[in-house]
Amino acid sequence: MTAYMDYKDLANETIDEARAGRIADGVHRVLDRIARAEMLNGREEGSVTLLAATKTRDVGEIMAAIDAGVHMIGENRPQEIATKIDGLRYACGQRGIVLGANDVETVESLDLTDDPEALDHLPLHLIGQLQSNKINKVLPDADVIESVDSLELAHKIGRRAAARGADVGVLLEVNESGEATKSGCDPDEAFELALRIAEIDGLELQGLMTVGAHVDDEAVVRRGFAHLRDLRDRVRDSHAEGTEHCAELSMGMSGDMEHAIAEGATIVRVGTAIFGERAFK
Ligand SMILES: *Cc1c(COP(=O)(O)O)cnc(C)c1O
């Protein structure tokens, strides 16, 4: 377990109004940045989804972001999902929202509606590295695992998902910057890998993901994002088995979302610009 979880109660549900107000302001600022970047780059309005990166944030902070207009959340660690999921599902249920995969039971227990399928669905993504011994921990909750970067991991996830009888969405994570500290597969191997992953039972390959280069040079950052877009296009245009759902480009964070949107991002993953600096790494 990560050390900060000993210092912060991530299941906490109540935050003060001032903190909730700052989070709402953060969400609105980010949604404005997204809308502006869509407009400036000739992207269709609403074609980019804001995923709130919620690592180190508690249930109360996350619900403040959802109340302010966030429609997708991403967690990095299976243990954090386990700590927060019950509180988040209950609070979402009270708002008529089904959180993550397989949440119909929670919603039924709240007795909100005769037709749980008609409720809004707020997807939960795993965006951090996944060790194979944690796959079963995340599968009941995550709609999409964005951090698949090897055939071995993909096969393991596919086997477990197929055994549960429910396909899980996956994105192939590509290390476009080549920075040694980053996870993700080699860009030169990504195309073949995507085609192999697309064929695996239990998985639905929904697209590609990357973390932008950690440099100030806009051209370098954009080159990585552009390469990911090109890769997505080639995978989809291959018409190989299972590639028909390969549409998403999850790229861009607090510091580089405009560049990512300019290069075709469909999901931007934003933490700091919504919630402020993280007190814990
Ligand atoms: C933390 C994180 C983000 C968000 O980063 P910010 O700079 O706080 O916006 C996005 N993607 C991944 C994989 C992350 O771990």
Side-chain angles (χ1 to χ4, degrees):
M1 197 182 297
T2 316
Y4 64 80
M5 293 186 68
D6 297 337
Y7 298 97
K8 178 167 176 172
D9 174 17
L10 296 175
N12 170 61
E13 290 173 12
T14 40
I15 59 173
D16 64 47
E17 260 176 58
R19 174 79 179 119
R22 285 194 301 274
I23 292 170
D25 289 345
V27 170
H28 298 149
R29 271 196 309 270
V30 171
L31 289 173
D32 286 347
R33 281 174 66 182
I34 292 170
R36 192 174 155 74
E38 284 172 344
M39 197 179 66
L40 289 174
N41 293 286
R43 300 284 312 275
E44 198 180 317
E45 191 184 332
S47 59
V48 180
T49 299
L50 169 60
L51 173 152
T54 50
K55 58 177 177 272
T56 80
R57 316 301 178 176
D58 66 27
V59 170
E61 292 173 302
I62 297 167
M63 291 314 302
I66 290 172
D67 287 338
V70 161
H71 297 297
M72 183 182 280
I73 64 173
E75 284 283 353
N76 286 65
R77 301 175 181 91
Q79 184 56 44
E80 265 196 61
I81 297 178
T83 306
K84 302 175 202 177
I85 192 75
D86 287 348
L88 285 174
R89 282 192 157 152
Y90 185 79
C92 283
Q94 287 179 313
R95 291 155 172 82
I97 301 168
V98 173
L99 173 69
N102 308 302
D103 188 29
V104 172
E105 269 176 41
T106 324
V107 174
E108 280 173 348
S109 73
L110 291 173
D111 216 11
L112 291 161
T113 169
D114 296 333
D115 183 12
E117 302 289 341
L119 295 173
D120 284 339
H121 172 227
L122 194 148
L124 169 62
H125 290 199
L126 184 80
I127 62 173
Q129 261 184 325
L130 178 59
Q131 286 159 354
S132 37
N133 62 350
K134 300 281 166 59
I135 294 171
N136 280 336
K137 204 179 179 99
V138 300
L139 276 187
D141 302 322
D143 296 280
V144 175
I145 299 173
E146 294 202 8
S147 45
V148 176
D149 62 0
S150 75
L151 199 55
E152 191 192 355
L153 179 62
H155 274 297
K156 285 180 178 165
I157 297 170
R159 269 199 299 276
R160 309 265 163 83
R164 298 181 70 253
D167 283 6
V168 64
V170 294
L171 305 187
L172 173 62
E173 181 175 358
V174 184
N175 184 356
E176 289 289 357
S177 70
E179 290 163 17
T181 52
K182 294 209 166 106
S183 45
C185 72
D186 183 330
D188 293 335
E189 293 166 6
F191 178 74
E192 277 303 317
L193 195 50
L195 296 199
R196 298 287 82 76
I197 290 172
E199 296 173 331
I200 296 175
D201 282 343
L203 305 184
E204 181 175 284
L205 180 69
Q206 295 184 356
L208 307 172
M209 181 270 222
T210 197
V211 175
H214 194 66
V215 294
D216 289 329
D217 188 340
E218 175 179 339
V220 172
V221 175
R222 287 187 61 153
R223 198 180 309 138
F225 292 151
H227 187 265
L228 199 75
R229 181 192 61 223
D230 180 58
L231 200 55
R232 190 265 327 258
D233 293 347
R234 285 194 290 137
V235 172
R236 211 168 35 177
D237 294 347
S238 74
H239 300 291
E241 182 193 343
T243 57
E244 64 273 18
H245 304 289
C246 184
E248 304 291 352
L249 287 174
S250 176
M251 56 191 197
M253 318 201 315
S254 293
D256 58 10
M257 69 179 104
E258 281 83 0
H259 299 329
I261 292 169
E263 296 296 348
T266 63
I267 297 171
V268 291
R269 308 177 309 271
V270 180
T272 312
I274 293 175
F275 299 103
E277 293 295 328
R278 281 177 289 277
F280 309 95
K281 289 290 167 192

